[in-house]
């Protein structure tokens, strides 16, 4: 996992590896607002953000065959991928001491990947998740807006 800087915020957890040929994948965005608990001091500036996704469950579901309203070819099978994003932020407090504090939360995510028409229900489906981008911005002294872009990948064995 790589570290990169954007607007003085250091982001950890972004995958910078080039993808090879990915026949079964889907990009998803998870945006959320995170507010620090009342026990924590106010936010002056975000310093670092850590993101680590984890797949908790996957399930093969049967779908209709055809074309969706969005124009996607639906083949009759999808794999639903459910997981959690472990999110942690380090920030400078809005006090004269200018000390650093951290806060964390777990955010759920869910997405689906269309499987091929010739999918065999006895096949083993191995799913993975990769973070492509993270964006965090303070909304006020208590809350942060976040957007995490992830790639869900399915490999058939």
């Amino acid at each position: 996992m790589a570290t990169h800087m954007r607007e003085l915020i250091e982001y950890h957890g972004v995958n910078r590896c080039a993808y090879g040929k990915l026949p079964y994948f889907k990009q998803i965005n998870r945006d959320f607002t995170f507010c620090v608990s009342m026990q924590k001091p106010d936010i002056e500036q975000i310093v670092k953000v850590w993101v680590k996704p984890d797949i908790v469950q996957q399930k093969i579901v049967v779908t209709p065959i055809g074309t969706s309203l969005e124009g996607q070819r639906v083949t009759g099978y999808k794999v639903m991928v459910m997981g959690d994003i472990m999110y942690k932020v380090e920030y400078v407090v809005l006090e004269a001491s200018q000390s650093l504090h951290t806060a964390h939360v777990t955010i759920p995510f869910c997405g689906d990947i269309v499987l091929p028409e010739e999918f065999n229900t006895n096949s083993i489906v191995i799913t993975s998740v990769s973070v492509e981008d993270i964006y965090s911005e303070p909304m006020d002294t208590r809350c942060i807006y976040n957007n995490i872009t992830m790639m869900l990948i399915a490999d058939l064995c």
Side-chain angles (χ1 to χ4, degrees):
M1 298 300 153
T3 299
H4 72 278
M5 296 278 293
R6 183 184 314 129
E7 298 177 14
L8 300 177
I9 301 173
E10 188 176 305
Y11 294 96
H12 298 267
V14 177
N15 187 353
R16 291 290 181 209
C17 298
Y19 297 108
K21 200 172 188 179
L22 298 175
Y24 315 111
F25 66 92
K26 184 163 190 180
Q27 185 182 59
I28 62 171
N29 285 309
R30 183 66 169 92
D31 64 329
F32 61 96
T33 301
F34 172 64
C35 297
V36 295
S37 65
M38 294 309 294
Q39 294 84 6
K40 300 268 186 184
D42 287 348
I43 301 168
E44 180 175 332
Q45 180 181 343
I46 299 171
V47 178
K48 294 180 185 177
V49 174
W50 290 268
V51 170
K52 183 176 184 266
D54 183 38
I55 294 174
V56 175
Q57 183 181 9
Q58 68 182 38
K59 182 178 180 180
I60 305 297
V61 293
V62 179
T63 65
I65 298 173
T67 304
S68 71
L69 294 174
E70 297 84 19
Q72 182 181 27
R73 176 85 176 116
V74 184
T75 62
Y77 291 99
K78 287 183 180 182
V79 59
M80 296 296 298
V81 180
M82 294 140 286
D84 292 323
I85 302 166
M86 279 63 86
Y87 171 87
K88 184 168 86 169
V89 62
E90 181 179 74
Y91 64 94
V92 176
V93 300
L94 187 60
E95 295 173 352
S97 68
Q98 295 282 286
S99 62
L100 292 176
H101 279 254
T102 60
H104 58 88
V105 68
T106 301
I107 305 295
F109 71 87
C110 183
D112 62 84
I113 305 168
V114 176
L115 297 172
E117 290 181 41
E118 65 277 359
F119 175 71
N120 179 345
T121 55
N122 294 325
S123 297
I124 297 173
V125 180
I126 300 170
T127 57
S128 59
V129 60
S130 177
V131 175
E132 292 185 313
D133 191 41
I134 308 166
Y135 176 75
S136 298
E137 180 178 333
M139 297 173 66
D140 55 33
T141 60
R142 303 294 308 161
C143 298
I144 303 168
Y145 168 78
N146 300 278
N147 187 306
I148 301 171
T149 304
M150 298 179 289
M151 178 81 73
L152 300 178
I153 303 163
D155 194 13
L156 305 178
C157 299

PDB file of all heavy atoms in Angstrom, residues 89-100:
ATOM      1  N   VAL A  89      -8.322   8.666  11.465  1.00  0.00           N
ATOM      2  CA  VAL A  89      -7.860  10.003  11.108  1.00  0.00           C
ATOM      3  C   VAL A  89      -7.033  10.576  12.256  1.00  0.00           C
ATOM      4  O   VAL A  89      -7.354  10.364  13.422  1.00  0.00           O
ATOM      5  CB  VAL A  89      -9.046  10.932  10.748  1.00  0.00           C
ATOM      6  CG1 VAL A  89      -9.976  11.111  11.927  1.00  0.00           C
ATOM      7  CG2 VAL A  89      -8.576  12.273  10.238  1.00  0.00           C
ATOM      8  N   GLU A  90      -5.950  11.248  11.896  1.00  0.00           N
ATOM      9  CA  GLU A  90      -5.135  11.974  12.870  1.00  0.00           C
ATOM     10  C   GLU A  90      -5.299  13.457  12.561  1.00  0.00           C
ATOM     11  O   GLU A  90      -5.207  13.861  11.402  1.00  0.00           O
ATOM     12  CB  GLU A  90      -3.668  11.561  12.733  1.00  0.00           C
ATOM     13  CG  GLU A  90      -2.742  12.244  13.721  1.00  0.00           C
ATOM     14  CD  GLU A  90      -1.313  11.788  13.559  1.00  0.00           C
ATOM     15  OE1 GLU A  90      -0.665  12.198  12.581  1.00  0.00           O
ATOM     16  OE2 GLU A  90      -0.847  10.999  14.402  1.00  0.00           O
ATOM     17  N   TYR A  91      -5.540  14.249  13.598  1.00  0.00           N
ATOM     18  CA  TYR A  91      -5.784  15.671  13.369  1.00  0.00           C
ATOM     19  C   TYR A  91      -5.149  16.536  14.444  1.00  0.00           C
ATOM     20  O   TYR A  91      -4.886  16.087  15.560  1.00  0.00           O
ATOM     21  CB  TYR A  91      -7.287  15.955  13.269  1.00  0.00           C
ATOM     22  CG  TYR A  91      -8.075  15.673  14.525  1.00  0.00           C
ATOM     23  CD1 TYR A  91      -8.334  16.683  15.448  1.00  0.00           C
ATOM     24  CD2 TYR A  91      -8.575  14.408  14.798  1.00  0.00           C
ATOM     25  CE1 TYR A  91      -9.067  16.438  16.603  1.00  0.00           C
ATOM     26  CE2 TYR A  91      -9.305  14.145  15.946  1.00  0.00           C
ATOM     27  CZ  TYR A  91      -9.541  15.171  16.841  1.00  0.00           C
ATOM     28  OH  TYR A  91     -10.265  14.921  17.980  1.00  0.00           O
ATOM     29  N   VAL A  92      -4.902  17.789  14.074  1.00  0.00           N
ATOM     30  CA  VAL A  92      -4.415  18.801  15.007  1.00  0.00           C
ATOM     31  C   VAL A  92      -5.648  19.383  15.689  1.00  0.00           C
ATOM     32  O   VAL A  92      -6.633  19.717  15.035  1.00  0.00           O
ATOM     33  CB  VAL A  92      -3.648  19.921  14.268  1.00  0.00           C
ATOM     34  CG1 VAL A  92      -3.219  21.019  15.237  1.00  0.00           C
ATOM     35  CG2 VAL A  92      -2.453  19.357  13.526  1.00  0.00           C
ATOM     36  N   VAL A  93      -5.587  19.490  17.023  1.00  0.00           N
ATOM     37  CA  VAL A  93      -6.750  19.991  17.764  1.00  0.00           C
ATOM     38  C   VAL A  93      -6.823  21.512  17.714  1.00  0.00           C
ATOM     39  O   VAL A  93      -5.811  22.193  17.556  1.00  0.00           O
ATOM     40  CB  VAL A  93      -6.758  19.498  19.231  1.00  0.00           C
ATOM     41  CG1 VAL A  93      -6.792  17.987  19.291  1.00  0.00           C
ATOM     42  CG2 VAL A  93      -5.588  20.046  20.002  1.00  0.00           C
ATOM     43  N   LEU A  94      -8.021  22.020  17.840  1.00  0.00           N
ATOM     44  CA  LEU A  94      -8.282  23.453  17.805  1.00  0.00           C
ATOM     45  C   LEU A  94      -8.114  24.034  19.215  1.00  0.00           C
ATOM     46  O   LEU A  94      -9.060  24.475  19.854  1.00  0.00           O
ATOM     47  CB  LEU A  94      -9.701  23.707  17.281  1.00  0.00           C
ATOM     48  CG  LEU A  94     -10.098  25.156  17.018  1.00  0.00           C
ATOM     49  CD1 LEU A  94      -9.188  25.790  15.985  1.00  0.00           C
ATOM     50  CD2 LEU A  94     -11.545  25.216  16.585  1.00  0.00           C
ATOM     51  N   GLU A  95      -6.884  23.965  19.704  1.00  0.00           N
ATOM     52  CA  GLU A  95      -6.521  24.482  21.024  1.00  0.00           C
ATOM     53  C   GLU A  95      -5.126  25.073  20.932  1.00  0.00           C
ATOM     54  O   GLU A  95      -4.392  24.782  19.983  1.00  0.00           O
ATOM     55  CB  GLU A  95      -6.523  23.350  22.070  1.00  0.00           C
ATOM     56  CG  GLU A  95      -7.871  22.734  22.326  1.00  0.00           C
ATOM     57  CD  GLU A  95      -7.803  21.516  23.239  1.00  0.00           C
ATOM     58  OE1 GLU A  95      -6.680  21.054  23.565  1.00  0.00           O
ATOM     59  OE2 GLU A  95      -8.863  21.016  23.613  1.00  0.00           O
ATOM     60  N   ALA A  96      -4.752  25.833  21.907  1.00  0.00           N
ATOM     61  CA  ALA A  96      -3.422  26.452  21.919  1.00  0.00           C
ATOM     62  C   ALA A  96      -2.310  25.405  21.931  1.00  0.00           C
ATOM     63  O   ALA A  96      -1.227  25.631  21.390  1.00  0.00           O
ATOM     64  CB  ALA A  96      -3.291  27.378  23.115  1.00  0.00           C
ATOM     65  N   SER A  97      -2.573  24.233  22.510  1.00  0.00           N
ATOM     66  CA  SER A  97      -1.541  23.189  22.600  1.00  0.00           C
ATOM     67  C   SER A  97      -1.175  22.615  21.239  1.00  0.00           C
ATOM     68  O   SER A  97      -0.079  22.095  21.052  1.00  0.00           O
ATOM     69  CB  SER A  97      -2.020  22.057  23.502  1.00  0.00           C
ATOM     70  OG  SER A  97      -3.103  21.370  22.878  1.00  0.00           O
ATOM     71  N   GLN A  98      -2.102  22.677  20.262  1.00  0.00           N
ATOM     72  CA  GLN A  98      -1.879  22.144  18.915  1.00  0.00           C
ATOM     73  C   GLN A  98      -1.449  20.671  18.936  1.00  0.00           C
ATOM     74  O   GLN A  98      -0.674  20.221  18.100  1.00  0.00           O
ATOM     75  CB  GLN A  98      -0.815  22.972  18.165  1.00  0.00           C
ATOM     76  CG  GLN A  98      -1.236  24.398  17.900  1.00  0.00           C
ATOM     77  CD  GLN A  98      -2.196  24.496  16.734  1.00  0.00           C
ATOM     78  OE1 GLN A  98      -1.795  24.354  15.616  1.00  0.00           O
ATOM     79  NE2 GLN A  98      -3.462  24.723  17.025  1.00  0.00           N
ATOM     80  N   SER A  99      -1.934  19.912  19.908  1.00  0.00           N
ATOM     81  CA  SER A  99      -1.572  18.495  20.001  1.00  0.00           C
ATOM     82  C   SER A  99      -2.282  17.685  18.915  1.00  0.00           C
ATOM     83  O   SER A  99      -3.223  18.154  18.267  1.00  0.00           O
ATOM     84  CB  SER A  99      -1.926  17.956  21.390  1.00  0.00           C
ATOM     85  OG  SER A  99      -3.316  18.052  21.602  1.00  0.00           O
ATOM     86  N   LEU A 100      -1.809  16.460  18.727  1.00  0.00           N
ATOM     87  CA  LEU A 100      -2.395  15.548  17.741  1.00  0.00           C
ATOM     88  C   LEU A 100      -3.316  14.556  18.437  1.00  0.00           C
ATOM     89  O   LEU A 100      -2.992  14.048  19.510  1.00  0.00           O
ATOM     90  CB  LEU A 100      -1.299  14.776  17.000  1.00  0.00           C
ATOM     91  CG  LEU A 100      -0.405  15.581  16.072  1.00  0.00           C
ATOM     92  CD1 LEU A 100       0.696  14.689  15.502  1.00  0.00           C
ATOM     93  CD2 LEU A 100      -1.203  16.203  14.949  1.00  0.00           C
TER      94      LEU A 100
END
